Amino acid sequence: MLLKLYKNEKYILCVEQLGLEEATYLVTFKEAATSMSVLRSLWQAHWLHQNRPKQDDVAAWLEESLSALEDGFADFIKQMEEAGWDQSQIFLKVPKEPVLVLEHLDQEV
């Protein structure tokens, strides 16, 4: 199911421990992954963190997050560029091993 869901992405994101207070996300990158793939996976993990499901249908929740990614990521990049970021200068290392994304997004920075 995950391979089909993520066929157009250069990564696969799995949700672990959904029933707990804080979900965790495990991201595995495909061979052709780039810095933009890493950024997209972080955007999706953030969206998932902000939009907790009302029920335990993880597949539908992941599908909804991928639709949100498609609809919102270009605007996110545009906002970054308007804030002075140069998209061609974003260099995020693509991990060779799966990465556990632990989010602390509720904390004020």
Side-chain angles (χ1 to χ4, degrees), residues 71-89:
D71 294 342
F73 191 74
D75 185 55
F76 171 70
I77 294 295
K78 181 181 173 190
Q79 290 176 30
M80 286 178 56
E81 289 173 348
E82 289 172 356
W85 286 66
D86 182 353
Q87 180 179 340
S88 66
Q89 296 297 315

Side-chain angles (χ1 to χ4, degrees), residues 18-60:
L18 181 61
L20 298 175
E21 187 174 311
E22 288 292 323
T24 56
Y25 311 100
L26 181 66
V27 180
T28 301
F29 294 94
K30 297 177 184 176
E31 193 169 311
T34 64
S35 293
M36 199 55 62
S37 307
V38 175
L39 192 57
R40 287 176 68 87
S41 72
L42 292 171
W43 191 100
Q44 184 186 12
H46 175 76
W47 188 96
L48 290 165
H49 179 77
Q50 295 296 317
N51 297 277
R52 294 294 305 245
K54 312 268 187 291
Q55 54 192 19
D56 286 343
D57 187 356
V58 176

